[in-house]
Amino acid sequence: MADFPALQHAVEIGDRDTAVRITQEGIDEGVPPEAILKWMTDAMEVVGGRFARQELFVPEMLISARAMKGAVALLEPLLVAGGIQPDSTAVIGTIKGDLHDIGKNLVAMMWKGGNIRVIDLGVNVAPEKFVAAAVEHGADIVGISALLTTTMGGMKQVVELVRATPEIAGIPVIVGGAPVTPEFAQQIGATGWAPDAASAVMKARELISAFQKGAAAGA
Ligand code: B1M
């Protein structure tokens, strides 16, 4: 049986090969991808705690992130599977100044699995770029991720720019990431917030559906 505590430990110490091997074993045994993922997100919590206590530093966080990314790549086809033809388009990215992308990538994967075409702008994305991409691709929703308290302010700029751009003024904007709270989302005028990638699919589908109904009624 796949040794998931060893998977968590492998991500914590940045042992990519072991993380990938145990993840594959879990997949072969038919363990749900979300359950495998949980061991890795728990590992990142531990890594974050150690970083905060100065027990480890940026290079160690990087190798843990690399180990997790390697293992998540195996889960991606499973998380994305089951999607039929996309019925909507999302633009997503990590806000300017912020290089954390694991959570954003998970949300993007889950959205793809939820029949949403995803335009992933990557990390360190300027507010204007979110807006330009949403207009270009006729987006039904914009998603913004932030992991640093210092970058969260950029989310407000995206909301303001979206509302000021006639072609996309009515589309929902959903925000998330560890420091982002529902109160903050409401305060900056975002349409929605989700605590994790699984709820981000449900929330996005709900917001897209309401937006599309509203657009059809107004047409
Ligand atoms: Co950094 N980092 N980091 N880091 N890092 C944190 C975020 C930190 C909390 C660590 C700590 O101090 N305990 C801290 C932020 C403190 C703060 O702002 N309050 C921190 C810091 C300080 C920094 C640097 C400033 C360190 C430095 O240089 N001195 C630096 C900043 C670089 C930059 O961005 N400009 C930095 C750098 C890095 C690395 C590059 C080394 C690496 C990132 C690698 C990468 O992403 N490619 C890294 C890592 C790995 C972390 C921790 C350890 C793990 C983050 C992670 O991947 N979590 C993190 C500690 C922690 O989070 N506990 C930390 C796993 C991931 C699955 O969770 O991203 O929260 P998360 O995503 C979740 C939900 O939040 C949600 O769903 C996801 C899946 O369930 N979600 C959304 C996310 N986006 C969403 C969007 C949505 C909806 C839900 O809608 C659109």
Side-chain angles (χ1 to χ4, degrees):
M1 224 184 105
D3 184 352
F4 291 119
L7 168 61
Q8 176 169 340
H9 181 68
V11 173
E12 284 172 21
I13 63 167
D15 178 352
R16 185 179 184 279
D17 291 347
T18 303
V20 166
R21 179 178 54 75
I22 299 174
T23 298
Q24 188 59 57
E25 286 169 10
I27 292 169
D28 294 343
E29 289 166 13
V31 179
E34 294 82 1
I36 303 176
L37 197 57
K38 175 80 171 61
W39 290 96
M40 294 192 255
T41 50
D42 285 356
M44 291 314 248
E45 278 301 314
V46 173
V47 171
R50 288 183 186 150
F51 176 78
R53 293 190 298 277
Q54 299 192 340
E55 293 166 10
L56 55 75
F57 301 94
V58 171
E60 286 93 344
M61 280 206 291
L62 257 182
I63 59 164
S64 287
R66 197 193 56 171
M68 178 160 175
K69 281 187 170 188
V72 166
L74 298 180
L75 297 178
E76 176 162 13
L78 304 174
L79 291 170
V80 170
I84 330 161
Q85 271 303 316
D87 57 9
S88 47
T89 298
V91 162
I92 192 169
T94 303
I95 194 66
K96 189 171 179 180
D98 205 320
L99 302 176
H100 296 84
D101 67 353
I102 296 178
K104 181 266 296 167
N105 292 347
L106 290 175
V107 173
M109 271 179 218
M110 299 293 277
W111 280 2
K112 285 179 197 165
N115 305 335
I116 302 171
R117 180 170 77 109
V118 176
I119 312 296
D120 188 343
L121 303 176
V123 296
N124 191 23
V125 181
E128 298 76 17
K129 204 169 163 196
F130 280 97
V131 172
V135 171
E136 181 189 345
H137 297 282
D140 301 283
I141 190 165
V142 169
I144 324 166
S145 180
L147 263 284
L148 296 174
T149 44
T150 49
T151 60
M152 287 163 64
M155 292 174 148
K156 182 165 188 266
Q157 280 174 266
V158 179
V159 174
E160 286 170 356
L161 279 176
V162 166
R163 300 295 168 241
T165 306
E167 302 95 306
I168 54 166
I171 68 172
V173 178
I174 175 170
V175 293
V180 180
T181 61
E183 292 74 28
F184 176 78
Q186 198 180 20
Q187 195 187 314
I188 64 169
T191 331
W193 165 87
D196 54 49
S199 359
V201 192
M202 288 183 283
K203 193 70 199 175
R205 291 243 45 108
E206 176 196 315
L207 295 175
I208 289 169
S209 166
F211 165 66
Q212 289 181 337
K213 276 189 198 136

